[in-house]
Amino acid sequence: MKFSDFTVDSWSENRRFFDTCLIPFTGLRGTESPPEVAEALERLRDFLDLAEKPFHGRVVTYPALQYTGTESLGYVNEICRKVKSSGFQYVIVLSADIPLTASEIYESDLVLSLPDIRLSQSKASGSYVRDEIAALWLK
């Protein structure tokens, strides 16, 4: 579910069921044309669907971190740390366009980077995403 799907009351009532926060990272540089930005956001949306749909009722998607720069990895780590301190047990960072590693985003519990998945996996991205999230929860 999206963060905006909750009211104060519905969150208070149901928060115990939502232990995982998804943090999308678009990785825009600011040099993209409007059509390029739209395409990047569509790729991220489609990639997020691979995590949101199968685990609806357990994951909450927070607003995307849109831009990348010299301090962006530190900022992503800071957001992960704060989200976990607010009550989420797991934080997953997802990017459809930017290669990211767990060693860079060390405050997250899982990093899912579509460019890296495509390079290293023979199975479909959707299967890989589902398997990785399920494995995280079984640790």
Side-chain angles (χ1 to χ4, degrees), residues 3 15 22 29 36 49-50 72 75-78 85 103 108-109 116 118 124 131 134 138:
F3 67 95
R15 75 176 294 152
L22 304 177
R29 297 174 313 281
E36 290 170 326
D49 281 349
L50 300 178
S72 59
Y75 184 62
V76 173
N77 279 307
E78 179 184 350
S85 72
S103 63
S108 69
D109 297 290
D116 294 330
R118 286 183 175 152
D131 291 350
L138 292 174

PDB file of all heavy atoms in Angstrom, residues 3 15 22 29 36 49-50 72 75-78 85 103 108-109 116 118 124 131 134 138:
ATOM      1  N   PHE A   3       1.830   5.022   1.230  1.00  0.00           N
ATOM      2  CA  PHE A   3       1.722   5.774   2.486  1.00  0.00           C
ATOM      3  C   PHE A   3       0.451   6.607   2.522  1.00  0.00           C
ATOM      4  O   PHE A   3      -0.168   6.784   3.566  1.00  0.00           O
ATOM      5  CB  PHE A   3       2.953   6.676   2.674  1.00  0.00           C
ATOM      6  CG  PHE A   3       3.035   7.785   1.664  1.00  0.00           C
ATOM      7  CD1 PHE A   3       2.536   9.038   1.942  1.00  0.00           C
ATOM      8  CD2 PHE A   3       3.604   7.570   0.415  1.00  0.00           C
ATOM      9  CE1 PHE A   3       2.594  10.056   1.002  1.00  0.00           C
ATOM     10  CE2 PHE A   3       3.680   8.568  -0.527  1.00  0.00           C
ATOM     11  CZ  PHE A   3       3.165   9.821  -0.243  1.00  0.00           C
ATOM     12  N   ARG A  15      -1.173  -0.806  11.796  1.00  0.00           N
ATOM     13  CA  ARG A  15       0.276  -0.716  11.628  1.00  0.00           C
ATOM     14  C   ARG A  15       1.018  -1.991  12.010  1.00  0.00           C
ATOM     15  O   ARG A  15       2.064  -2.280  11.466  1.00  0.00           O
ATOM     16  CB  ARG A  15       0.837   0.486  12.384  1.00  0.00           C
ATOM     17  CG  ARG A  15       0.903   0.313  13.895  1.00  0.00           C
ATOM     18  CD  ARG A  15       1.549   1.471  14.601  1.00  0.00           C
ATOM     19  NE  ARG A  15       2.950   1.531  14.211  1.00  0.00           N
ATOM     20  CZ  ARG A  15       3.668   2.637  14.179  1.00  0.00           C
ATOM     21  NH1 ARG A  15       3.142   3.766  14.551  1.00  0.00           N
ATOM     22  NH2 ARG A  15       4.914   2.599  13.804  1.00  0.00           N
ATOM     23  N   LEU A  22       9.010   0.133   1.720  1.00  0.00           N
ATOM     24  CA  LEU A  22       9.704   0.204   0.441  1.00  0.00           C
ATOM     25  C   LEU A  22      10.065   1.666   0.180  1.00  0.00           C
ATOM     26  O   LEU A  22       9.203   2.537   0.265  1.00  0.00           O
ATOM     27  CB  LEU A  22       8.812  -0.297  -0.694  1.00  0.00           C
ATOM     28  CG  LEU A  22       8.234  -1.706  -0.564  1.00  0.00           C
ATOM     29  CD1 LEU A  22       7.328  -2.007  -1.746  1.00  0.00           C
ATOM     30  CD2 LEU A  22       9.336  -2.736  -0.441  1.00  0.00           C
ATOM     31  N   ARG A  29      19.139  12.876 -12.464  1.00  0.00           N
ATOM     32  CA  ARG A  29      20.300  13.766 -12.346  1.00  0.00           C
ATOM     33  C   ARG A  29      19.924  15.235 -12.510  1.00  0.00           C
ATOM     34  O   ARG A  29      20.721  16.111 -12.237  1.00  0.00           O
ATOM     35  CB  ARG A  29      21.347  13.387 -13.392  1.00  0.00           C
ATOM     36  CG  ARG A  29      21.912  11.985 -13.208  1.00  0.00           C
ATOM     37  CD  ARG A  29      22.840  11.560 -14.335  1.00  0.00           C
ATOM     38  NE  ARG A  29      22.328  11.821 -15.673  1.00  0.00           N
ATOM     39  CZ  ARG A  29      21.426  11.088 -16.331  1.00  0.00           C
ATOM     40  NH1 ARG A  29      20.919  10.023 -15.757  1.00  0.00           N
ATOM     41  NH2 ARG A  29      21.022  11.396 -17.543  1.00  0.00           N
ATOM     42  N   GLU A  36      11.989  11.942 -20.726  1.00  0.00           N
ATOM     43  CA  GLU A  36      12.916  11.013 -20.069  1.00  0.00           C
ATOM     44  C   GLU A  36      12.551  10.833 -18.603  1.00  0.00           C
ATOM     45  O   GLU A  36      12.636   9.718 -18.070  1.00  0.00           O
ATOM     46  CB  GLU A  36      14.354  11.515 -20.199  1.00  0.00           C
ATOM     47  CG  GLU A  36      14.902  11.439 -21.600  1.00  0.00           C
ATOM     48  CD  GLU A  36      16.229  12.144 -21.766  1.00  0.00           C
ATOM     49  OE1 GLU A  36      16.471  13.184 -21.110  1.00  0.00           O
ATOM     50  OE2 GLU A  36      17.046  11.652 -22.573  1.00  0.00           O
ATOM     51  N   ASP A  49       5.837  -2.414  -8.631  1.00  0.00           N
ATOM     52  CA  ASP A  49       4.713  -3.344  -8.683  1.00  0.00           C
ATOM     53  C   ASP A  49       5.144  -4.771  -8.360  1.00  0.00           C
ATOM     54  O   ASP A  49       4.380  -5.547  -7.788  1.00  0.00           O
ATOM     55  CB  ASP A  49       4.046  -3.328 -10.059  1.00  0.00           C
ATOM     56  CG  ASP A  49       3.116  -2.152 -10.256  1.00  0.00           C
ATOM     57  OD1 ASP A  49       2.810  -1.438  -9.276  1.00  0.00           O
ATOM     58  OD2 ASP A  49       2.692  -1.935 -11.419  1.00  0.00           O
ATOM     59  N   LEU A  50       6.376  -5.118  -8.710  1.00  0.00           N
ATOM     60  CA  LEU A  50       6.876  -6.473  -8.449  1.00  0.00           C
ATOM     61  C   LEU A  50       6.995  -6.757  -6.948  1.00  0.00           C
ATOM     62  O   LEU A  50       6.947  -7.912  -6.530  1.00  0.00           O
ATOM     63  CB  LEU A  50       8.238  -6.683  -9.113  1.00  0.00           C
ATOM     64  CG  LEU A  50       8.289  -6.514 -10.629  1.00  0.00           C
ATOM     65  CD1 LEU A  50       9.716  -6.699 -11.123  1.00  0.00           C
ATOM     66  CD2 LEU A  50       7.334  -7.466 -11.315  1.00  0.00           C
ATOM     67  N   SER A  72      23.812  11.715  -2.187  1.00  0.00           N
ATOM     68  CA  SER A  72      22.544  10.988  -2.207  1.00  0.00           C
ATOM     69  C   SER A  72      22.595   9.654  -1.470  1.00  0.00           C
ATOM     70  O   SER A  72      21.631   9.274  -0.809  1.00  0.00           O
ATOM     71  CB  SER A  72      22.048  10.794  -3.633  1.00  0.00           C
ATOM     72  OG  SER A  72      22.976  10.081  -4.406  1.00  0.00           O
ATOM     73  N   TYR A  75      22.186  10.256   2.122  1.00  0.00           N
ATOM     74  CA  TYR A  75      20.807  10.645   2.401  1.00  0.00           C
ATOM     75  C   TYR A  75      19.879   9.425   2.401  1.00  0.00           C
ATOM     76  O   TYR A  75      19.023   9.292   3.278  1.00  0.00           O
ATOM     77  CB  TYR A  75      20.342  11.673   1.373  1.00  0.00           C
ATOM     78  CG  TYR A  75      18.959  12.216   1.617  1.00  0.00           C
ATOM     79  CD1 TYR A  75      18.667  12.930   2.781  1.00  0.00           C
ATOM     80  CD2 TYR A  75      17.942  12.015   0.701  1.00  0.00           C
ATOM     81  CE1 TYR A  75      17.400  13.426   3.013  1.00  0.00           C
ATOM     82  CE2 TYR A  75      16.669  12.504   0.919  1.00  0.00           C
ATOM     83  CZ  TYR A  75      16.404  13.208   2.076  1.00  0.00           C
ATOM     84  OH  TYR A  75      15.150  13.699   2.304  1.00  0.00           O
ATOM     85  N   VAL A  76      20.060   8.526   1.455  1.00  0.00           N
ATOM     86  CA  VAL A  76      19.251   7.304   1.413  1.00  0.00           C
ATOM     87  C   VAL A  76      19.474   6.498   2.695  1.00  0.00           C
ATOM     88  O   VAL A  76      18.516   6.004   3.309  1.00  0.00           O
ATOM     89  CB  VAL A  76      19.559   6.461   0.158  1.00  0.00           C
ATOM     90  CG1 VAL A  76      18.837   5.121   0.213  1.00  0.00           C
ATOM     91  CG2 VAL A  76      19.194   7.217  -1.110  1.00  0.00           C
ATOM     92  N   ASN A  77      20.718   6.370   3.127  1.00  0.00           N
ATOM     93  CA  ASN A  77      21.003   5.656   4.381  1.00  0.00           C
ATOM     94  C   ASN A  77      20.345   6.333   5.572  1.00  0.00           C
ATOM     95  O   ASN A  77      19.804   5.661   6.451  1.00  0.00           O
ATOM     96  CB  ASN A  77      22.514   5.535   4.589  1.00  0.00           C
ATOM     97  CG  ASN A  77      23.097   4.405   3.791  1.00  0.00           C
ATOM     98  OD1 ASN A  77      22.640   3.264   3.872  1.00  0.00           O
ATOM     99  ND2 ASN A  77      24.100   4.704   2.989  1.00  0.00           N
ATOM    100  N   GLU A  78      20.377   7.645   5.590  1.00  0.00           N
ATOM    101  CA  GLU A  78      19.744   8.380   6.687  1.00  0.00           C
ATOM    102  C   GLU A  78      18.236   8.131   6.716  1.00  0.00           C
ATOM    103  O   GLU A  78      17.657   7.898   7.790  1.00  0.00           O
ATOM    104  CB  GLU A  78      20.023   9.880   6.530  1.00  0.00           C
ATOM    105  CG  GLU A  78      19.383  10.735   7.595  1.00  0.00           C
ATOM    106  CD  GLU A  78      19.608  12.221   7.358  1.00  0.00           C
ATOM    107  OE1 GLU A  78      20.412  12.601   6.485  1.00  0.00           O
ATOM    108  OE2 GLU A  78      18.957  13.009   8.070  1.00  0.00           O
ATOM    109  N   SER A  85      13.647   3.485  12.664  1.00  0.00           N
ATOM    110  CA  SER A  85      13.445   3.959  14.033  1.00  0.00           C
ATOM    111  C   SER A  85      11.997   4.375  14.281  1.00  0.00           C
ATOM    112  O   SER A  85      11.579   4.490  15.428  1.00  0.00           O
ATOM    113  CB  SER A  85      14.399   5.113  14.357  1.00  0.00           C
ATOM    114  OG  SER A  85      14.014   6.285  13.680  1.00  0.00           O
ATOM    115  N   SER A 103      26.269  -2.737   0.153  1.00  0.00           N
ATOM    116  CA  SER A 103      27.382  -2.090   0.856  1.00  0.00           C
ATOM    117  C   SER A 103      27.271  -0.568   0.778  1.00  0.00           C
ATOM    118  O   SER A 103      27.744   0.128   1.672  1.00  0.00           O
ATOM    119  CB  SER A 103      28.728  -2.560   0.298  1.00  0.00           C
ATOM    120  OG  SER A 103      28.866  -2.190  -1.059  1.00  0.00           O
ATOM    121  N   SER A 108      19.774  -0.214   4.863  1.00  0.00           N
ATOM    122  CA  SER A 108      18.594  -0.952   4.414  1.00  0.00           C
ATOM    123  C   SER A 108      18.783  -2.434   4.726  1.00  0.00           C
ATOM    124  O   SER A 108      19.896  -2.898   4.961  1.00  0.00           O
ATOM    125  CB  SER A 108      18.378  -0.758   2.911  1.00  0.00           C
ATOM    126  OG  SER A 108      19.394  -1.414   2.200  1.00  0.00           O
ATOM    127  N   ASP A 109      17.685  -3.149   4.708  1.00  0.00           N
ATOM    128  CA  ASP A 109      17.745  -4.592   4.912  1.00  0.00           C
ATOM    129  C   ASP A 109      17.885  -5.340   3.598  1.00  0.00           C
ATOM    130  O   ASP A 109      18.316  -6.492   3.581  1.00  0.00           O
ATOM    131  CB  ASP A 109      16.489  -5.063   5.650  1.00  0.00           C
ATOM    132  CG  ASP A 109      16.417  -4.440   7.026  1.00  0.00           C
ATOM    133  OD1 ASP A 109      17.236  -4.815   7.883  1.00  0.00           O
ATOM    134  OD2 ASP A 109      15.571  -3.550   7.227  1.00  0.00           O
ATOM    135  N   ASP A 116      21.236  -4.325 -11.731  1.00  0.00           N
ATOM    136  CA  ASP A 116      22.041  -5.409 -11.168  1.00  0.00           C
ATOM    137  C   ASP A 116      21.334  -6.754 -11.282  1.00  0.00           C
ATOM    138  O   ASP A 116      21.971  -7.779 -11.547  1.00  0.00           O
ATOM    139  CB  ASP A 116      22.386  -5.120  -9.710  1.00  0.00           C
ATOM    140  CG  ASP A 116      23.305  -3.921  -9.557  1.00  0.00           C
ATOM    141  OD1 ASP A 116      24.113  -3.662 -10.475  1.00  0.00           O
ATOM    142  OD2 ASP A 116      23.203  -3.237  -8.525  1.00  0.00           O
ATOM    143  N   ARG A 118      19.200  -7.672 -13.577  1.00  0.00           N
ATOM    144  CA  ARG A 118      19.255  -8.098 -14.985  1.00  0.00           C
ATOM    145  C   ARG A 118      20.628  -8.646 -15.357  1.00  0.00           C
ATOM    146  O   ARG A 118      20.730  -9.562 -16.156  1.00  0.00           O
ATOM    147  CB  ARG A 118      18.881  -6.940 -15.893  1.00  0.00           C
ATOM    148  CG  ARG A 118      17.400  -6.646 -15.873  1.00  0.00           C
ATOM    149  CD  ARG A 118      17.033  -5.556 -16.834  1.00  0.00           C
ATOM    150  NE  ARG A 118      15.600  -5.368 -16.875  1.00  0.00           N
ATOM    151  CZ  ARG A 118      15.016  -4.226 -17.162  1.00  0.00           C
ATOM    152  NH1 ARG A 118      15.742  -3.168 -17.455  1.00  0.00           N
ATOM    153  NH2 ARG A 118      13.711  -4.135 -17.173  1.00  0.00           N
ATOM    154  N   ALA A 124      13.373 -14.466 -14.068  1.00  0.00           N
ATOM    155  CA  ALA A 124      12.634 -13.227 -14.283  1.00  0.00           C
ATOM    156  C   ALA A 124      12.754 -12.308 -13.076  1.00  0.00           C
ATOM    157  O   ALA A 124      12.840 -12.767 -11.927  1.00  0.00           O
ATOM    158  CB  ALA A 124      11.170 -13.543 -14.558  1.00  0.00           C
ATOM    159  N   ASP A 131      11.326 -13.664  -4.342  1.00  0.00           N
ATOM    160  CA  ASP A 131      12.174 -14.588  -3.594  1.00  0.00           C
ATOM    161  C   ASP A 131      13.072 -13.854  -2.600  1.00  0.00           C
ATOM    162  O   ASP A 131      13.253 -14.314  -1.466  1.00  0.00           O
ATOM    163  CB  ASP A 131      13.039 -15.417  -4.544  1.00  0.00           C
ATOM    164  CG  ASP A 131      12.233 -16.406  -5.372  1.00  0.00           C
ATOM    165  OD1 ASP A 131      11.025 -16.598  -5.100  1.00  0.00           O
ATOM    166  OD2 ASP A 131      12.820 -16.971  -6.322  1.00  0.00           O
ATOM    167  N   ALA A 134      10.899 -12.548   0.343  1.00  0.00           N
ATOM    168  CA  ALA A 134      10.508 -13.688   1.194  1.00  0.00           C
ATOM    169  C   ALA A 134      11.707 -14.191   2.005  1.00  0.00           C
ATOM    170  O   ALA A 134      11.561 -14.488   3.196  1.00  0.00           O
ATOM    171  CB  ALA A 134       9.934 -14.810   0.338  1.00  0.00           C
ATOM    172  N   LEU A 138      12.382 -14.430   6.229  1.00  0.00           N
ATOM    173  CA  LEU A 138      12.648 -15.710   6.877  1.00  0.00           C
ATOM    174  C   LEU A 138      13.947 -15.716   7.691  1.00  0.00           C
ATOM    175  O   LEU A 138      14.210 -16.669   8.412  1.00  0.00           O
ATOM    176  CB  LEU A 138      12.705 -16.827   5.830  1.00  0.00           C
ATOM    177  CG  LEU A 138      11.375 -17.136   5.156  1.00  0.00           C
ATOM    178  CD1 LEU A 138      11.574 -18.157   4.034  1.00  0.00           C
ATOM    179  CD2 LEU A 138      10.361 -17.638   6.162  1.00  0.00           C
TER     180      LEU A 138
END
